[in-house]
Amino acid sequence: MTHFTWREPTIPRIPVEQRRERLVAAAFRVVAADGVEAATTRRICAEAGMSLASFHYAFESRDALLEALVVAGLTSEDTAIHAVLTDVPADGGDIESLLRGGLRGYIDSVVADPSREHALIALSQYARQTPGLEGFAADVYRRYYELAATALTAAAEASGARWRTAPQTLAPLVVAATDGLTLAYLNTGDLDVVHRIAEACVAMLLTHLEAA
């Protein structure tokens, strides 16, 4: 008779960095759906399909995970805004069309994933209220201003226009417009209002060009 020795199946160990990434992604989904307050350790683990033991192997605490989530979420928003605002066609065009196209591209990104925008707003608020993270949110906005200034400079160069007002001065106005149209869409879903905000921003920017 052949005897078999039972062995427990070997479960592959997940590298700690991969555990962290899964937990951060799960936390982002929870925050997008129900806000930061709903992002409890237990809820995040359930969303990630991981045990509480796995959580504590990857993060010291919920606060540590939320800190990583703030950094990952707002950094990814930086990347997304960079992709949209600096996407100036190589063949140029008139500056009004370039400005309008950039803002419409941003609107398309908001409409495509509103839950992401809800999560990013919640994370920004959390960062401002959390000791040690309040400066991070401010740094992210300074980065947004830099991206907007870069986009305005690129649009002028591609179209042959010249700014009468420095792009660095105009950049916060562009960011204020994108913040405003984002909140308008998230709260009302009214694209007509959103596009009117964008058109008002374009009209304002055109007044800061040097005469042809």
Side-chain angles (χ1 to χ4, degrees):
M1 175 180 284
T2 303
H3 295 279
F4 294 95
T5 302
W6 168 255
R7 297 179 184 275
E8 289 285 346
T10 300
I11 300 175
R13 294 179 63 83
I14 302 174
V16 64
E17 192 55 40
Q18 186 176 338
R19 295 180 195 226
R20 290 172 63 89
E21 290 174 358
R22 283 177 56 180
L23 287 165
V24 166
F28 193 87
R29 292 193 296 273
V30 172
V31 171
D34 298 308
V36 175
E37 296 78 8
T40 63
T41 302
R42 191 174 299 277
R43 173 81 181 276
I44 292 167
C45 287
E47 179 69 26
M50 297 171 67
S51 67
L52 286 171
S54 293
F55 177 92
H56 291 296
Y57 185 72
F59 291 100
E60 293 182 358
S61 64
R62 172 181 178 270
D63 287 344
L65 169 57
L66 289 179
E67 180 175 345
L69 180 60
V70 167
V71 173
L74 297 185
T75 301
S76 69
E77 177 73 343
D78 180 316
T79 302
I81 290 176
H82 182 275
V84 172
L85 292 185
T86 60
D87 185 22
V88 177
D91 57 356
D94 67 278
I95 192 163
E96 182 175 353
S97 297
L98 292 177
L99 296 172
R100 183 175 291 114
L103 286 169
R104 286 183 176 175
Y106 178 83
I107 292 169
D108 289 344
S109 72
V110 172
V111 173
D113 197 354
S115 63
R116 169 189 169 82
E117 299 302 323
H118 278 296
L120 291 167
I121 290 170
L123 290 174
S124 293
Q125 293 173 338
Y126 174 80
R128 287 195 298 271
Q129 297 165 1
T130 302
L133 286 180
E134 61 269 45
F136 184 79
D139 288 342
V140 167
Y141 258 77
R142 281 190 284 271
R143 173 62 175 160
Y144 292 169
Y145 297 155
E146 291 174 2
L147 291 174
T150 298
L152 293 172
T153 300
E157 291 176 349
S159 64
R162 292 175 62 87
W163 292 110
R164 177 169 50 83
T165 304
Q168 291 77 9
T169 301
L170 297 173
L173 306 181
V174 174
V175 175
T178 57
D179 278 352
L181 64 84
T182 298
L183 290 172
Y185 181 75
L186 295 180
N187 287 306
T188 70
D190 191 332
L191 276 174
D192 181 60
V193 168
V194 167
H195 283 291
R196 292 209 315 263
I197 294 171
E199 286 300 315
C201 182
V202 171
M204 176 275 297
L205 289 171
L206 293 177
T207 66
H208 292 273
L209 288 169
E210 290 186 357

